[in-house]
Amino acid sequence: FKTSFSFRRIINFYKTTSFIRKIIEEVQPEIIHVHQINTVAFFAILGNLRHRIPLVLNSWGSDILLNPKKGLIWKLLVRYCLKHADAITADSIYMADTIRKLLPGKDLHIRICNWGVDEIDADFKKEKIIYSNRHHKSLYRISNIIKAFRKFKDTPSGNDWKLVVAGSGPESNSLKLQVQELGLEPFVQFVGYLDKHKNHEFYARSMVYVSIPESDAVSISILESMYHGCIPVVSDIPTRREWIIDGVTGVIVDDVSSNFLDLISAIDLNFAGEVNHRVVLKKGTASIAAKKYSDLHRDLIAKD
């Protein structure tokens, strides 16, 4: 199946809607689950108007936190999608509250659930490694992580730590040049894009995980790191506080230009790692998430 969900061609309002309507007629689904509240969700709703199949929308982050701020058209689109959904999933209480603010007075059916963490065994001895694996683009502020690591290395508590940078993106070359200019080459390792098992190996080996994006939902990478007993160092985004106790089980950074990595020195890393692992086992695994989604689907189908 292939079609266009772009608003740039007016003909898509007919072609794409008809295309989705035809798929619904052929497949006859019991439920429609749309991932991201954007033009895909909009056309899915239009295509489903005749059939009234129960429809669920997944909110991911930028679709709710950023897109409505781009302009009136985007805000109206998101509001329309929320209004016509039978249920909406949010990965945090903060996200659910943000959704409700977009449609004040509307009784929305919102369930809190995320994708959850795969319980992958990776039995490695912890090392003094700070691990980063977000995309190399401005949103994720990898450059600030490298600057903070330089400051951390200049302190007594940071002189024997290493930084491992996974992932790739448009800023990869400039980040490597930055490391050279700061004299950090012996202490910073760029490992590129990693498969799932290698990624989990680095979580298991690392004591600290760092992720300081400008905006984000509940990042599965943070939950993965916590599952493997890492201490998360994260930007001050409301969703983070639903999982991390600042200064106890992790570090919440409000000034990304500071020597924020040195704040891990005040944390009992072994205790915090054990607590983080138990927290994710209790409410953040993929099996828990799967049950939440299947329960939601069953409830909507039974109601219909």
Side-chain angles (χ1 to χ4, degrees), residues 33-38 40-41 56-60 63 115 293:
H33 198 138
V34 184
H35 301 280
Q36 276 207 322
I37 303 172
N38 52 18
V40 177
V56 182
L57 297 181
N58 257 30
S59 60
W60 276 69
D63 51 357
W115 292 117
Y293 281 116

Side-chain angles (χ1 to χ4, degrees), residues 268-286:
D268 184 332
L269 301 183
N270 292 326
F271 169 77
E274 286 291 329
V275 171
N276 288 336
H277 178 68
R278 291 199 299 267
V279 166
V280 174
L281 282 180
K282 184 177 180 179
K283 63 175 186 176
T285 65

Side-chain angles (χ1 to χ4, degrees), residues 79-206:
R79 284 168 54 89
Y80 176 87
C81 293
L82 295 174
K83 184 178 180 180
H84 289 83
D86 294 283
I88 304 153
T89 67
D91 62 10
S92 63
I93 297 170
Y94 172 73
M95 184 73 76
D97 289 343
T98 303
I99 290 170
R100 291 189 180 97
K101 288 176 183 177
L102 286 167
L103 276 179
K106 176 72 172 178
D107 185 19
L108 298 173
H109 182 177
I110 302 176
R111 297 275 182 104
I112 307 295
C113 48
N114 56 54
W115 292 117
V117 173
D118 291 328
E119 298 176 66
I120 296 176
D121 292 329
D123 188 15
F124 291 87
K125 185 179 180 180
K126 286 291 186 183
E127 304 171 41
K128 286 191 172 181
I129 293 174
I130 299 168
Y131 184 45
S132 166
N133 64 354
R134 306 304 296 269
H135 294 302
H136 299 178
K137 56 184 182 180
S138 59
L139 173 67
Y140 295 101
R141 300 192 286 203
I142 310 297
S143 176
N144 290 88
I145 293 172
I146 294 170
K147 291 175 184 176
F149 183 66
R150 173 71 276 174
K151 294 174 183 176
F152 184 48
K153 287 294 290 183
D154 290 337
T155 67
S157 56
N159 59 18
D160 55 349
W161 284 76
K162 293 183 179 180
L163 173 65
V164 174
V165 181
S168 60
E171 295 187 355
S172 293
N173 290 335
S174 63
L175 293 173
K176 292 175 183 177
L177 180 60
Q178 179 186 10
V179 166
Q180 292 176 14
E181 292 173 344
L182 292 175
L184 288 171
E185 283 186 284
F187 315 108
V188 178
Q189 182 182 8
F190 287 89
V191 294
Y193 180 81
L194 302 177
D195 63 30
K196 178 187 289 188
H197 289 279
K198 196 67 177 177
N199 187 37
H200 281 262
E201 175 186 325
F202 273 108
Y203 288 133
R205 290 173 55 194
S206 302

Side-chain angles (χ1 to χ4, degrees), residues 45 53 72 85 89 103 159 164 186-187 202 215 230 241 296-297 300:
I45 289 167
I53 307 296
L72 180 60
T89 67
L103 276 179
N159 59 18
V164 174
F187 315 108
F202 273 108
S215 175
C230 294
R241 296 184 181 273
L296 172 60
H297 290 172
L300 291 176

Side-chain angles (χ1 to χ4, degrees), residues 6-18 43:
S6 173
F7 276 5
R8 294 179 181 178
R9 299 182 63 195
I10 298 299
I11 190 65
N12 286 345
F13 283 80
Y14 170 75
K15 290 180 65 175
T16 303
T17 301
S18 298
F43 282 118

